[in-house]
């Protein structure tokens, strides 16, 4: 549901990537902000859409139900699956879709209130339309009545394999049918004491459109034409209507709005020049603190905070230190798309990591797609300007649930084209890098699933099987027996790269120096060095689809200090080979194919 929000936001901030770029031959960068990760290793995150990950069903019927298309369970993420992720050098698993959200599936037999399908997107429902912050998605349990125990078992199982657990925290909005039946005694539901006659009050949990009932968006066809329900009637009883999660203050939002959600009120009066009311503390703040505390006490190790920049930074500055009193090692990741706010959300908001989507991802995607305007200066701008003082706080990725699959026709088509981009993303800093399940086996996100549509993405709204991932899963064996030779090679590349990025000292904690002005380079070739007193790592990426790169990389004098003169041993980390060269006199020889990358250590 973030994609539509991004269209407007990216247009507003796109000028940032077009500013003045440095033209020096070498630029050194170190973070001026202290890293908040106290561990000595780089974080490698593997995102799992739990509903899809363990699903063995291959039916994939358009708008299929849970029983027709199948659904993955907590228990499907078994010891073998987790051990394979650990062997891949994953350190953290982001379990997406854990908290209970609105759905068209009827669980009334288990005491769960049925949702109105007219305000649910997809048969399964969006994992970002939360229905009960204190419960887990019943779809994911073998025994629905023991669903929380099954989640807790997954947490324990993950920890036993030396991995950390991240879940989503969705602070900006909830489902229109939000009502917690699992909340602890004494906890008030959102909106329980709201004065619904007021469009805004700092003491209200929601924003209202007084005197106007909610109108189901035109074009709604809940569950597709074959879905039958007595509640499928283009009506939903909400009077007065509430503002949507994407800040639409109308009783008649469009289907393209986040119409299935309602905005939470953190004390910001959006219709009065965004005037803030933070004293006294708005009720939502305390309710959200209690929710975060609830999950932190279930041994969750981190929160990926959905649309964090739509929540005032003052709230984060207030709540994150309090949650870290429960567990000082817990990590907070912000989904954020405005580069002008990055440093503020780290310094003031106390976030550990931020999405690097607007900036690095967008620039690398243009290069991978071979777009006419693609230029490695976009990478340089990210490192030298946009996140110069806090690069290790940026989460880098080429896929997640919101973005197009690399292997899709809308992105690269050929997953090999992404190799240089993935190498740069994983080695540019000591900050985390993320892989979305199926990415490492070239899942293309094909098919019209239902509400998700044919959009080059794996649906988050529908029940579905993920075909290429299912080949690796191999009916629960998680041994990759059904993968092609090319898929095995691709998965090995990801495993090798993640191991290198996690275990190589200079990538984890070294300084950064960009190498510009190298012979034979064009605007689709990029090189840099990560270094400590003990070692140097040279990274060269060739995004050019038509030209190979054969040259000798010249290092500046300061990087040669301490390096032995004459022939020295250089390790080719990605290929597991080594060779001799004399960096001081002849430079480091590079012979790189089209759409390829290398990582040399010496």
């Amino acid at each position: 549901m973030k994609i539509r929000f991004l269209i407007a936001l990216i247009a507003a901030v796109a000028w940032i990537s077009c500013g003045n770029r440095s033209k020096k031959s070498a630029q050194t960068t170190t973070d001026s902000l202290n890293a908040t990760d106290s561990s000595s290793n780089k974080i490698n995150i593997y995102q799992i859409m739990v509903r899809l990950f363990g699903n063995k069903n291959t039916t994939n019927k358009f708008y299929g139900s849970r029983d027709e298309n199948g659904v993955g369970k907590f228990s499907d993420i078994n010891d073998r699956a987790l051990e394979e992720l650990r062997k891949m050098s994953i350190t953290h698993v982001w379990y997406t879709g854990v908290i209970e959200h609105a759905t068209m599936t009827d669980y009334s037999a288990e005491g769960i209130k049925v949702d109105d399908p007219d305000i649910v997107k997809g048969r399964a429902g969006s994992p970002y339309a939360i229905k009960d912050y204190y419960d887990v998605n019943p779809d994911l349990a073998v025994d629905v009545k023991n669903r929380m125990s099954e989640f807790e078992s997954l947490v324990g199982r993950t920890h036993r394999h030396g991995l950390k657990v991240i879940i989503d925290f969705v602070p900006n909005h909830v489902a229109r049918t939000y009502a917690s039946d699992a909340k602890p005694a004494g906890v008030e539901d959102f909106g329980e004491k709201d004065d619904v006659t007021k469009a805004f009050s700092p003491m209200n949990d929601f924003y209202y459109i007084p005197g106007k009932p909610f109108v189901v968006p035109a074009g709604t066809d809940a569950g597709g034409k074959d879905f039958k329900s007595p509640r499928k009637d283009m009506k939903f009883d909400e009077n007065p209507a509430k503002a949507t999660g994407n800040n639409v203050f109308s009783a008649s939002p469009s289907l393209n709005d986040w119409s299935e959600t309602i905005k939470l009120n953190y004390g910001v009066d959006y219709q009065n020049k965004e005037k803030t009311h933070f004293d006294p503390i708005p009720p939502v703040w305390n309710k959200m603190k209690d929710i975060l505390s609830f999950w932190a006490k279930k041994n969750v190790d981190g929160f990926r905070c959905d649309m964090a920049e739509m929540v005032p930074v003052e709230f984060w500055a207030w709540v994150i230190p309090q949650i870290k009193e429960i567990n000082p090692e817990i990590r907070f990741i912000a989904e954020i798309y405005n580069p002008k706010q990055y440093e503020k959300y780290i310094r003031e908001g106390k976030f550990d990591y931020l999405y690097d989507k607007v900036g690095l991802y967008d620039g690398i995607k243009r290069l991978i797609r071979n777009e006419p305007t693609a230029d490695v200066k976009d990478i340089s701008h990210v490192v030298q300007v946009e996140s110069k003082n806090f690069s290790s706080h940026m989460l880098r990725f080429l896929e997640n649930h919101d973005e197009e699959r690399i292997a899709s026709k809308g992105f690269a088509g050929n997953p090999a084209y992404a190799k240089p981009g993935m190498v740069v993303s994983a080695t540019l800093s000591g900050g985390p890098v993320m892989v979305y399940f199926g990415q490492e086996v070239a899942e293309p996100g094909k098919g019209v699933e239902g509400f998700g549509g044919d959009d080059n993405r794996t649906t988050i709204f529908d029940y579905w099987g993920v075909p290429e991932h299912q080949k690796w899963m191999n009916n629960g064996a998680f041994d990759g027996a059904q993968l092609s030779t090319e898929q095995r090679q691709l998965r090995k590349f990801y495993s090798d790269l993640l191991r290198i990025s996690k275990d190589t000292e200079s990538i984890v904690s070294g300084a950064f120096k960009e190498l510009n002005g190298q012979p034979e380079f064009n605007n689709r070739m990029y090189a840099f060095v990560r270094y400590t007193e003990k070692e140097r790592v040279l990274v060269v990426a060739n995004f050019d689809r038509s030209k190979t790169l054969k040259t000798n990389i010249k290092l500046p004098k300061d990087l040669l200090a301490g390096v032995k003169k004459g022939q020295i041993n250089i390790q080719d980390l990605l290929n597991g080979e080594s060779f001799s060269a004399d960096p001081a006199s002849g430079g480091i020889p590079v012979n790189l194919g089209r759409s390829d990358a290398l990582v040399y250590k010496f």
Side-chain angles (χ1 to χ4, degrees):
M1 67 189 301
K2 322 303 180 298
I3 298 164
R4 293 182 288 273
F5 171 85
L6 283 173
I7 293 173
L9 181 58
I10 291 172
V13 301
W15 62 271
I16 295 172
S17 64
C18 301
N20 294 328
R21 274 76 174 234
S22 170
K23 293 183 173 61
K24 295 182 181 179
S25 62
Q27 288 283 334
T28 302
T29 301
T30 55
D31 285 9
S32 63
L33 288 174
N34 293 326
T36 56
D37 185 3
S38 61
S39 70
S40 59
N41 288 331
K42 183 182 176 81
I43 287 177
N44 290 334
I45 300 173
Y46 191 86
Q47 183 189 3
I48 286 176
M49 184 73 183
V50 181
R51 180 204 303 153
L52 305 178
F53 182 84
N55 185 18
K56 305 175 186 68
N57 189 314
T58 60
T59 302
N60 284 357
K61 176 185 175 182
F62 177 63
Y63 266 122
S65 69
R66 176 199 62 191
D67 296 337
E68 290 170 325
N69 281 354
V71 64
K73 306 292 184 181
F74 291 130
S75 58
D76 289 325
I77 308 169
N78 58 27
D79 286 311
R80 180 61 188 267
L82 291 166
E83 185 59 19
E84 288 302 309
L85 295 183
R86 188 196 64 78
K87 286 160 61 176
M88 196 179 170
S89 292
I90 296 301
T91 63
H92 291 60
V93 185
W94 166 14
Y95 293 118
T96 302
V98 166
I99 299 178
E100 185 181 3
H101 58 78
T103 178
M104 293 187 196
T105 300
D106 186 345
Y107 283 103
S108 58
E110 282 77 24
I112 299 171
K113 186 178 178 181
V114 178
D115 296 299
D116 188 318
D118 290 312
I119 50 158
V120 178
K121 291 181 176 177
R123 290 290 294 267
S126 168
Y128 297 98
I130 299 298
K131 176 180 176 177
D132 187 345
Y133 279 115
Y134 289 100
D135 207 347
V136 297
N137 182 359
D139 270 346
L140 309 181
V142 175
D143 179 357
V144 173
K145 292 188 183 301
N146 291 315
R147 56 192 178 275
M148 185 61 78
S149 294
E150 292 188 28
F151 170 70
E152 291 167 347
S153 294
L154 174 60
V155 173
R157 196 159 58 245
T158 306
H159 287 161
R160 286 195 297 275
H161 286 270
L163 303 169
K164 303 284 190 180
V165 172
I166 297 171
I167 66 170
D168 285 286
F169 174 57
V170 187
N172 175 67
H173 49 267
V174 296
R176 288 194 181 270
T177 53
Y178 187 93
S180 177
D181 52 21
K183 63 184 184 295
V187 171
E188 290 180 4
D189 246 347
F190 290 99
E192 194 173 310
K193 294 186 176 179
D194 280 9
D195 182 348
V196 300
T197 65
K198 295 181 178 179
F200 168 80
S201 165
M203 294 296 104
N204 279 353
D205 294 334
F206 299 123
Y207 299 90
Y208 295 90
I209 298 91
K212 294 184 178 181
F214 175 76
V215 178
V216 173
T220 296
D221 182 15
K225 64 182 179 62
D226 294 330
F227 176 71
K228 308 299 180 185
S229 167
R231 296 176 178 83
K232 184 179 176 180
D233 56 5
M234 291 296 288
K235 297 176 183 178
F236 178 65
D237 185 14
E238 181 182 285
N239 192 2
K242 303 180 183 75
T244 67
N246 62 327
N247 296 1
V248 173
F249 292 82
S250 167
S252 305
S254 77
L255 191 58
N256 289 329
D257 290 315
W258 302 352
S259 53
E260 79 277 30
T261 69
I262 44 181
K263 175 84 172 180
L264 286 168
N265 176 8
Y266 284 81
V268 180
D269 188 353
Y270 288 96
Q271 298 185 92
N272 185 21
K273 299 180 179 179
E274 299 190 10
K275 185 178 179 181
T276 59
H277 302 262
F278 299 153
D279 187 12
I281 295 294
V284 164
W285 288 32
N286 283 305
K287 289 174 182 175
M288 285 303 193
K289 182 192 74 171
D290 291 343
I291 290 162
L292 284 166
S293 298
F294 174 84
W295 292 104
K297 290 173 182 176
K298 289 193 176 293
N299 296 319
V300 166
D301 304 293
F303 296 99
R304 176 267 188 190
C305 301
D306 186 72
M307 299 309 300
E309 66 187 323
M310 295 184 77
V311 172
V313 72
E314 291 85 354
F315 166 74
W316 299 114
W318 175 83
V319 77
I320 289 177
Q322 294 184 74
I323 303 306
K324 290 200 173 191
E325 289 180 6
I326 298 171
N327 176 8
E329 297 302 313
I330 208 162
R331 295 288 171 255
F332 281 81
I333 301 168
E335 181 190 19
I336 181 170
Y337 299 108
N338 186 351
K340 292 190 289 185
Q341 296 292 318
Y342 285 175
E343 192 161 354
K344 184 177 183 179
Y345 272 72
I346 296 169
R347 286 189 183 275
E348 298 178 29
K350 310 299 182 185
F351 274 97
D352 298 289
Y353 307 113
L354 314 178
Y355 265 38
D356 198 347
K357 197 279 180 187
V358 178
L360 190 68
Y361 170 90
D362 285 347
I364 286 179
K365 186 175 183 179
R366 286 190 287 271
L367 287 160
I368 292 171
R369 282 171 45 84
N370 200 32
E371 295 180 14
T373 59
D375 197 309
V376 295
K377 287 181 180 179
D378 288 333
I379 302 174
S380 181
H381 177 72
V382 168
V383 179
Q384 305 296 350
V385 180
E386 195 171 278
S387 60
K388 179 179 180 180
N389 296 321
F390 45 87
S391 188
S392 65
H393 291 266
M394 303 305 291
L395 168 63
R396 270 73 191 239
F397 55 85
L398 290 183
E399 282 193 14
N400 64 42
H401 66 278
D402 278 323
E403 308 305 334
E404 291 180 308
R405 289 287 195 174
I406 292 168
S408 72
K409 61 184 179 181
F411 194 157
N414 182 351
Y417 289 148
K419 183 176 179 180
M422 196 64 213
V423 169
V424 170
S425 297
T427 60
L428 202 60
S429 78
V433 64
M434 182 169 72
V435 173
Y436 189 34
F437 87 103
Q439 176 181 344
E440 75 278 22
V441 293
E443 171 56 43
K446 278 185 181 178
V448 182
E449 307 105 337
F451 188 85
D454 189 7
D455 58 1
N456 303 312
R457 297 167 174 84
T458 296
T459 181
I460 66 170
F461 303 101
D462 308 286
Y463 296 110
W464 201 250
V466 184
E468 303 310 311
H469 165 73
Q470 287 175 329
K471 292 177 182 178
W472 173 70
M473 183 171 56
N474 190 25
N475 294 310
F478 295 100
D479 58 7
Q482 299 180 38
L483 295 177
S484 68
T485 299
E486 292 76 15
Q487 286 175 311
R488 291 173 186 271
Q489 291 172 342
L490 183 64
R491 193 171 190 278
K492 183 180 185 301
F493 161 73
Y494 275 94
S495 296
D496 289 344
L497 177 61
L498 292 172
R499 172 181 49 78
I500 291 164
S501 71
K502 181 175 76 73
D503 296 338
T504 305
E505 177 186 283
S506 54
I507 294 175
V508 173
S509 58
F512 170 93
K513 179 158 285 191
E514 190 174 79
L515 303 177
N516 291 331
Q518 296 292 324
E520 306 301 327
F521 270 44
N522 63 28
N523 68 346
R524 298 183 183 225
M525 299 168 181
Y526 187 67
F528 59 91
V529 174
R530 301 293 311 284
Y531 63 98
T532 64
E533 291 183 1
K534 297 179 181 179
E535 67 181 30
R536 311 280 187 267
V537 168
L538 169 68
V539 178
V540 183
N542 178 17
F543 292 92
D544 200 314
R545 293 189 184 184
S546 59
K547 182 180 178 182
T548 60
L549 175 60
K550 189 172 183 179
T551 187
N552 286 322
I553 298 289
K554 306 293 184 181
L555 299 180
K557 289 182 179 180
D558 58 333
L559 282 182
L560 292 170
V563 176
K564 292 181 181 179
K565 293 183 179 180
Q567 296 287 315
I568 64 169
N569 184 61
I570 295 178
Q571 300 176 55
D572 181 342
L573 296 182
L574 280 173
N575 293 318
E577 300 172 352
S578 62
F579 61 94
S580 296
D582 183 357
S585 60
I588 300 176
V590 166
N591 190 355
L592 198 55
R594 304 174 186 89
S595 297
D596 205 354
L598 61 80
V599 183
Y600 288 168
K601 177 181 172 182
F602 58 98

